[in-house]
Amino acid sequence: MSRYELVVPCHFGLEAVTKREIYDLGYEISRVEDGRVTFIGDEEAICRSNIFLRTAERVLLQVGRFHATTFDELFEGIKALPWENYIPRDGKFWVKKASSIKSKLFSPSDIQSIAKKAMVERLKEVYHVSWFEEDGAPYPVRIFLLKDEVMVTLDTSGDSLHKRGYRLMTSKAPLTETLAAALILLTPWRRDRILVDPFCGSGTFPIEAAMIASGIAPGMNRSFTAEEWTNFIPKNLWYEAVEEAQEQMDTEVKVDIQGYDIDPEVVKAARENAKRAGVEHMIHFQQRAVADLSHPKKYGFIITNPPYGERLEDKEDLPQLYSEIGASYRNLDSWSMYLITSYEDTEKYIGRKADKNRKIYNGMLKTYFYQFMGPKPPKRPREQA
């Protein structure tokens, strides 16, 4: 087995959650930066991290890092990398994306073009050919420049890892599956506690919670670009990772997870999504307004993504809506509430200051994760626990 640096982009502000997931898989973290975590792993780690990580956007294999302030330095730096270790003679390779922040080289299209030429030159010398058919497996390259430091990677995932394969129907302002999972993992919720999402939309929070509770790996029902890289990742490693994921599943686990929405069509779509995720039997979906939210049990959790009022005409409805959220929450004895929103007056209309407030970027939108803590439930006797 070889030893690679694997780079995992994640949501800004949630690096600690991704880091914990990587530790739980048994890997050594080598670097944590804004919006990404790097760890050391082998070919098996590429398969396992794609299948098991809930909060990662993708898994990138780092080919190299170097300093470049001119296009000549960029060309030579990329040409010096050992591309033949990864890309076979018939491989299809291209620079899928280049990004540049605070660097002298700032044109993505120029960076992409020069990087491709440098790769071609290197592989021509190694394979002693003047032309590549590129009719084999795909090897997409992603390049990141930050303060003139160049990081060159191969994308092992393909489609972003938030695409679990279950969400065909989305609501107006969907939360990505990776962000929903990260926010749930940021709370103390466990599968023996009640979870309610009163603005469930396409069902992302309840579905991700059910998948966490039952140990369903998020990458179980999708494919990855690196599955075709049989020149250095044996197929059996993917089969073994899926087998490991199947062994960890427990879809008979008893949970109390509920999703409500005021729109009956949205509730129907959420049910369909839950069915595709294999957790339909674990979630109770219902058409219900937040003003009607109630529950007889104690120590439950509200985890939700209420409307932000991004459209101007919706903004005037927000004071009443957030007042209703606050009133319903006050009627729930000893519950905790976690909500992500960009609405600045959230605490004012909820009627309580949050115990914690975390700034998180949902795409390009700055949002806040308000955390209203309820009391901890009394400890159960050891034999019951």
Side-chain angles (χ1 to χ4, degrees), residues 22-195:
I22 293 166
Y23 273 137
D24 288 348
L25 282 179
Y27 300 116
E28 172 198 342
I29 308 283
S30 59
R31 188 185 284 114
V32 180
E33 301 161 284
D34 285 345
R36 64 181 177 225
V37 180
T38 303
F39 69 98
I40 308 299
D42 54 15
E43 291 86 352
E44 182 186 67
I46 293 172
C47 308
R48 293 182 73 235
S49 55
N50 270 298
I51 287 170
F52 285 101
L53 290 180
R54 298 183 188 280
T55 64
E57 293 304 305
R58 55 186 70 248
V59 178
L60 306 171
L61 190 164
Q62 183 177 293
V63 181
R65 282 188 185 235
F66 57 89
H67 185 84
T69 56
T70 67
F71 283 123
D72 282 344
E73 287 175 345
L74 179 70
F75 182 92
E76 294 302 330
I78 286 175
K79 190 182 173 191
L81 298 175
W83 292 105
E84 63 279 6
N85 292 352
Y86 311 103
I87 302 174
R89 187 192 295 255
D90 67 343
K92 179 185 177 185
F93 56 98
W94 73 103
V95 182
K96 173 102 177 173
K97 188 176 181 185
S99 66
S100 175
I101 300 170
K102 297 179 182 173
S103 298
K104 291 183 178 67
L105 304 178
F106 56 82
S107 164
S109 58
D110 288 335
I111 293 165
Q112 286 171 290
S113 172
I114 285 161
K116 169 77 178 192
K117 285 175 187 168
M119 292 168 68
V120 168
E121 286 306 309
R122 167 84 182 203
L123 293 175
K124 272 163 68 172
E125 290 173 12
V126 172
Y127 292 128
H128 307 293
V129 295
S130 58
W131 179 258
F132 292 97
E133 293 292 339
E134 296 196 48
D135 54 1
Y139 294 82
V141 175
R142 288 175 180 260
I143 298 176
F144 306 86
L145 277 77
L146 175 62
K147 296 178 182 174
D148 302 322
E149 290 298 315
V150 185
M151 181 174 72
V152 185
T153 68
L154 280 166
D155 182 358
T156 74
S157 303
D159 282 341
S160 172
L161 294 181
H162 81 264
K163 295 187 177 178
R164 319 281 209 221
Y166 68 73
R167 197 170 75 171
L168 300 186
M169 302 174 190
T170 62
S171 55
K172 277 184 288 189
L175 202 66
T176 65
E177 294 85 334
T178 45
L179 180 54
L183 294 178
I184 293 166
L185 293 172
L186 201 58
T187 76
W189 177 78
R190 296 293 177 267
R191 64 187 191 181
D192 60 343
R193 306 277 290 275
I194 308 148
L195 188 152

Side-chain angles (χ1 to χ4, degrees), residues 321-354:
L321 180 66
Y322 281 72
S323 295
E324 287 174 357
I325 295 171
S328 292
Y329 177 51
R330 282 190 293 278
N331 290 330
L332 290 165
D333 185 25
S334 66
W335 280 46
S336 298
M337 179 167 70
Y338 297 80
L339 53 91
I340 181 170
T341 176
S342 65
Y343 185 45
E344 300 282 351
D345 289 331
T346 290
E347 290 167 312
K348 175 183 173 183
Y349 290 105
I350 294 279
R352 174 181 159 183
K353 189 164 176 58

Side-chain angles (χ1 to χ4, degrees), residues 171-381:
S171 55
K172 277 184 288 189
L175 202 66
T176 65
E177 294 85 334
T178 45
L179 180 54
L183 294 178
I184 293 166
L185 293 172
L186 201 58
T187 76
W189 177 78
R190 296 293 177 267
R191 64 187 191 181
D192 60 343
R193 306 277 290 275
I194 308 148
L195 188 152
V196 175
D197 180 357
F199 300 94
C200 73
S202 52
T204 313
F205 269 134
I207 292 168
E208 289 296 319
M211 289 174 73
I212 291 167
S214 57
I216 296 176
M220 283 276 289
N221 297 312
R222 54 159 288 170
S223 58
F224 307 96
T225 297
E227 287 180 68
E228 297 184 55
W229 299 356
T230 50
N231 55 314
F232 72 100
I233 305 177
K235 270 280 188 195
N236 67 293
L237 294 181
W238 291 101
Y239 298 139
E240 286 167 13
V242 169
E243 204 172 295
E244 180 189 353
Q246 286 169 337
E247 286 170 3
Q248 290 184 16
M249 280 170 53
D250 177 12
T251 54
E252 300 306 309
V253 65
K254 295 286 181 276
V255 291
D256 188 347
I257 299 172
Q258 302 178 26
Y260 307 139
D261 203 283
I262 201 163
D263 185 337
E265 287 304 309
V266 164
V267 172
K268 185 180 172 187
R271 280 199 192 100
E272 288 297 318
N273 290 338
K275 191 175 181 180
R276 268 187 296 278
V279 295
E280 184 190 20
H281 62 292
M282 298 171 67
I283 306 168
H284 172 66
F285 287 111
Q286 186 181 343
Q287 182 191 354
R288 186 190 284 195
V290 70
D292 301 326
L293 177 60
S294 63
H295 203 290
K297 292 184 182 174
K298 289 186 167 191
Y299 307 111
F301 282 74
I302 296 171
I303 305 179
T304 193
N305 174 35
Y308 306 164
E310 286 310 299
R311 293 183 309 181
L312 219 54
E313 62 268 29
D314 295 339
K315 278 205 188 303
E316 57 199 44
D317 298 334
L318 294 183
Q320 184 186 342
L321 180 66
Y322 281 72
S323 295
E324 287 174 357
I325 295 171
S328 292
Y329 177 51
R330 282 190 293 278
N331 290 330
L332 290 165
D333 185 25
S334 66
W335 280 46
S336 298
M337 179 167 70
Y338 297 80
L339 53 91
I340 181 170
T341 176
S342 65
Y343 185 45
E344 300 282 351
D345 289 331
T346 290
E347 290 167 312
K348 175 183 173 183
Y349 290 105
I350 294 279
R352 174 181 159 183
K353 189 164 176 58
D355 297 287
K356 287 185 183 176
N357 183 7
R358 198 175 184 127
K359 184 164 65 175
I360 290 164
Y361 280 88
N362 182 8
M364 297 303 291
L365 182 67
K366 183 170 73 173
T367 60
Y368 298 91
F369 191 47
Y370 293 95
Q371 303 168 57
F372 301 90
M373 313 289 200
K376 288 182 180 177
K379 284 191 175 174
R380 291 176 294 170

